[in-house]
Amino acid sequence: MTGLQARLRADLLTARKARDATATAVLRSTVAAVANAAALPVADAALTADGPIAGAAVGVGATEAARRELTDDDVRAIVAAEQSERLTAATDLEAHGAGEKAEQLRAEAELLASYL
């Protein structure tokens, strides 16, 4: 886990303890985006004549999947993408008359900017 990942997780815990709903939601979705980026793609497994369970792994840790090691730059790029998504959505919402929701998204983007 990189330093930025650890900071995001620690800040998520702090936001949850403080019952800060906005920060909790933003940080939770960002931590999830980082976790998704670390997941390796699942190879298409061809079914054999023995069926889909033949050769299945059994035992402790058998369901653990390998993960990519992300660098701080990788995590920073994910945070920047999350911030950009919110700013784009805020612009779209404001153009459609949803100014209050747009302001909320801008506040979320500002929170993410503190990690960049």
Side-chain angles (χ1 to χ4, degrees):
M1 182 180 310
T2 68
L4 186 52
Q5 278 179 288
R7 184 173 158 215
L8 286 165
R9 288 177 184 264
D11 289 353
L12 172 58
L13 182 60
T14 302
R16 288 180 60 205
K17 286 181 179 179
R19 298 186 188 272
D20 183 344
T22 301
T24 297
V26 171
L27 292 170
R28 185 175 280 149
S29 69
T30 303
V31 167
V34 170
N36 287 342
L40 292 175
V42 177
D44 294 335
L47 299 179
T48 63
D50 296 331
I53 299 180
V58 180
V60 176
T63 60
E64 293 297 318
R67 308 211 40 97
R68 288 182 340 145
E69 289 293 325
L70 299 176
T71 65
D72 266 342
D73 288 338
D74 295 332
V75 176
R76 200 169 288 110
I78 294 165
V79 172
E82 290 287 310
Q83 179 194 29
S84 176
E85 280 181 29
R86 283 170 173 76
L87 291 174
T88 301
T91 301
D92 291 345
L93 285 170
E94 198 164 58
H96 291 91
E100 188 175 311
K101 181 64 177 169
E103 282 305 312
Q104 180 184 356
L105 288 173
R106 284 194 180 91
E108 292 176 6
E110 188 176 322
L111 174 75
L112 291 173
S114 69
Y115 295 95
L116 302 174

